[in-house]
Amino acid sequence: MASTATESDQKKKPRPTYTPGPYSAKLTPEDHRELLLQLYLARYFDVRLIKEKKRGRLRGTLYSSHNQEAIIVGSLFGLKPEDWISPIHRDMPAFFMKDLRSGWRNPDRMGMTVQEVCAQVWGRATSPGRARDNWSHIGSKAKHIIHSTSMLAGTIPAACGVVYADRMNGGDAVCLTFNGEGSTAQGVFHEAINFAAVHKLPVVTVIENNQWAYGTPAELEYSLEDFARRADGYGIPGLIADGQNVFDVYDKISEAVEWARAGKGPSIVECKTFRAYGHGDHDDDRAAKYRPADEVEEGRSRDPIAVMKKLMVEFGTLKPDEAKEFMAEGKGASEVTNDDFPPQVVDYLSEGVEFAVNSPEPAAEEGGMWVFKEGH
Amino acid sequence: MAAPAVSTKKNYLTALKEAISEEMGSNPDMLCIGEDIGILGGAFGVTDGLQAKFGAERVIDAPISEAAIVGVACGMCLNGKTVMAEMQFIDFISCGFDQIVNMTATYHYRTAGEVAIPMVIRGPAGGYGGGALYHSQMNEAWFANSPGLKIVCPSTPKDAKGLLKASLRDPNPVIFYEMKELYRQRAIEEDVADGDEALVPLGQAQVRRKGESLTIVTYGNNVYHCLQAAENLDKEGFSAEVVDLRTLVPLDQNTILESVKKTNRLLVVNEAPRTCGFAGEVLARIAEEAFEHLDAPPSRITRLDTPVPWVKPLESFVLPSVEKITEAALRVCRY
Ligand SMILES: Cc1ncc(C[n+]2csc(CCOP(=O)(O)OP(=O)(O)O)c2C)c(N)n1
Ligand SMILES: [Mg+2]
């Protein structure tokens, strides 16, 4: 395309501010629109739950993925349905966004339904884990989602085991594990990545580097300019992605996934981003004090929805007028309204909330069940 | 007793080896993972020849990473495999603690039964060999206090094989304590069956010696100390019944209760430290369930609340011995 453009053409139509990588260059205009919708969906999940919490309808802590949605969306978009993921506390939307590409309402989709995830958040018996542990601590063997726990980095070894078993069975599934940069200081992070490297396991470790681990800045968690360089010590690739740019995330993760699927082994993909609010919603007020205001302002300045829209306009897959519709970007949960989101996003999530609210709590005696598997 | 010219009797270690090999042979979805278990065949040789037979994909030499060994095994089980994970010494299990108690033990519970983890973590355990602080431990109480784990500790070759086979067929995670001092003990060698005939179900205690005067509940190495103490008691006119628990979780409370209802006296012996040790749990249960049957305060002999020291006089000082058990048993009998 570019080779046939004349000088004057190029002046009329400015070169996009981001050059698509080999994978995102192949995305269709429909893919672009789908990705944008998914960004809205992840954002809406977040702000809707914060609103529900403020109305006193929810217990527990929401670890907001606000401003980090491009990592979840861009990572999941390149996976095959049978691939595995291992999300953590900040990736709540990932549970229902896995394999969304197969159709949001496709019953055979290899991801949880939004109903199931909402039921979990509301602590209802219809949650995949029957609300035995809270919030993000769910998973699904059937949907290839490793059940998350509180223990940071604690599921990376399981990710290794899952794909080891899959490979033995002749499969070629890849597992994406999501981790905050702070969790990389855990001993088990090292043990698992080292194991994966030794056995060339198809495990892609996605680092959501949002610069903060609760109240501790990244420079007190590790001493590298770019965390991705940690990969060098394991003899595996370490990639860096702009975590605000869904195309770049998609490119880098796809590269890592292809590498893994080809049997070349694990890799680390550091996605640079910024935690827009508190560690959890309980921490918003304190975070406003322990983090310098200018750092926060700068960190929030590249909302992934805005970045995506700007690039789509440049690529010609979104009209400038359309870009001005649904202005969710840059708005906090208290400023944003349903009108700032495409109706299909609001409807989709509302079905989940409706389902959750109308679901029963588990029976009390379930608290004593399933310690052991009986009757074998 | 004269040994036959060619003995068919097997030692404890051979029994374990056979259990693993037979289960690997009959279950194509079973894997083994541990430090030095493949090329070397295990620090003590429990997996000797296993990799040659089943290949390096199924018998994995792991890096020195106990947390990864357990966690990787957990992921394999999540994806349909059965895994035997070896701890080179059970003392090192602490390095994999979180992966055991928070990840593996809770899996069935937190998934409301969606996932079961058929994993056996086994390793050489116990004192009496001068192994010192980090090669002598019995840390079963940590795991007995972590719901979701079964705990097994065999004292004979037959039980070693039968219980390990049963553990490898159990859909739940099992921590399997092997008595390394018994691995090559000639005195306890015995005939051991092959295949399914060898199976010993979990959760069943075994009365090793019948008696009327008191019940001694124990497991592992201490079974033999208790049996010797029982002979000492015979000379004093008391007959001791010795109950070998074999499985701690789930506990065969009935066998203990039946015995105590008959003898009305109880001594519990184990080589783990006293405070919050498993002996204390047995005492508590009998106090709750059979108080009115007791003619004497139930008692226990355990390791002192110390680490296990190295040289013989120190080690003997802190661990249960035939003398300590005899003395305590006489006290209970004469109360
Ligand atoms: C093993 C462990 N230690 C401590 C915690 C408490 N904790 C939960 S999240 C968190 C910060 C995590 O930071 P990071 O990994 O950067 O992820 P982020 O929250 O920034 O996404 C801490 C300390 C925990 N959950 N697990
Ligand atoms: Mg962080």
Side-chain angles (χ1 to χ4, degrees), chain A residues 130 132 140-142 147 149 151 154 157-158 161-162 164-166 168-169 191 195 199 367 369-373 376, chain B residues 31 57 60 65 67-68 71-72 75-76 78-79 81 98-99 107-112 114-115 148-149 170-172:
Chain A
R130 300 189 71 80
R132 299 168 78 74
S140 168
K141 185 175 175 170
H147 310 72
T149 71
M151 318 315 290
V162 160
Y164 192 103
D166 182 72
M168 278 185 78
N169 295 345
E191 288 195 18
F195 186 89
H199 290 278
M369 291 169 64
W370 295 303
V371 175
F372 290 105
K373 180 164 180 168
H376 51 93
Chain B
L31 291 85
E57 195 179 36
I60 305 164
S65 299
V72 165
M76 291 166 167
L78 168 61
N79 206 1
K81 303 294 177 189
D98 174 61
Q99 288 293 316
Y107 226 124
H108 194 62
Y109 187 84
R110 61 193 158 88
T111 60
E114 185 205 7
V115 177
L149 300 169
D170 197 284
N172 298 287

Side-chain angles (χ1 to χ4, degrees), chain A residues 19-21 41 82 126 139 153 161 164 175 177 179 189 193 219 225 229 233 275 283-284 312 333:
Chain A
T19 311
L41 180 58
E82 63 273 20
T126 45
Y164 192 103
C175 185
T177 79
N179 308 273
F189 181 88
I193 307 265
E219 67 263 26
E225 187 67 30
R229 294 278 63 76
R275 194 187 81 204
D283 183 52
D284 286 343
M312 282 176 70

Side-chain angles (χ1 to χ4, degrees), chain A residues 181 210 212-213:
Chain A
E181 82 295 339
N210 62 8
W212 285 84

Side-chain angles (χ1 to χ4, degrees), chain B residues 52-219:
Chain B
K53 200 162 165 192
F54 296 104
E57 195 179 36
R58 286 181 68 197
V59 182
I60 305 164
D61 274 318
I64 307 162
S65 299
E66 285 76 10
I69 289 170
V70 175
V72 165
C74 183
M76 291 166 167
C77 294
L78 168 61
N79 206 1
K81 303 294 177 189
T82 292
V83 184
M84 182 284 276
E86 176 174 302
M87 295 290 120
Q88 196 156 71
F89 284 85
I90 213 69
D91 311 61
F92 306 145
I93 202 170
S94 54
C95 299
F97 194 69
D98 174 61
Q99 288 293 316
I100 298 172
V101 303
N102 283 319
M103 184 76 183
T104 303
T106 59
Y107 226 124
H108 194 62
Y109 187 84
R110 61 193 158 88
T111 60
E114 185 205 7
V115 177
I117 304 291
M119 184 200 305
V120 175
I121 303 173
R122 46 156 289 278
Y128 300 102
L133 274 82
Y134 307 110
H135 295 74
S136 302
Q137 295 175 24
M138 278 299 287
N139 42 35
E140 69 277 18
W142 300 344
F143 302 107
N145 205 239
S146 300
L149 300 169
K150 293 191 176 180
I151 301 177
V152 176
C153 182
S155 67
T156 67
K158 270 186 188 158
D159 283 354
K161 179 165 181 181
L163 289 167
L164 185 51
K165 283 173 73 77
S167 298
L168 288 165
R169 295 183 190 188
D170 197 284
N172 298 287
V174 178
I175 317 275
F176 194 93
Y177 286 84
E178 296 168 4
M179 301 290 91
K180 59 182 177 294
E181 287 308 301
L182 301 182
Y183 273 164
R184 294 189 167 85
Q185 274 242 0
R186 297 294 300 273
I188 66 165
E189 289 180 4
E190 59 183 343
D191 288 325
V192 178
D194 291 329
D196 289 357
E197 222 178 287
L199 281 169
V200 175
L202 304 192
Q204 292 182 10
Q206 170 96 25
V207 177
R208 292 281 170 215
R209 181 191 203 272
K210 292 237 173 253
E212 305 294 329
S213 318
L214 103 151
T215 299
I216 306 181
V217 172
T218 187
Y219 51 93

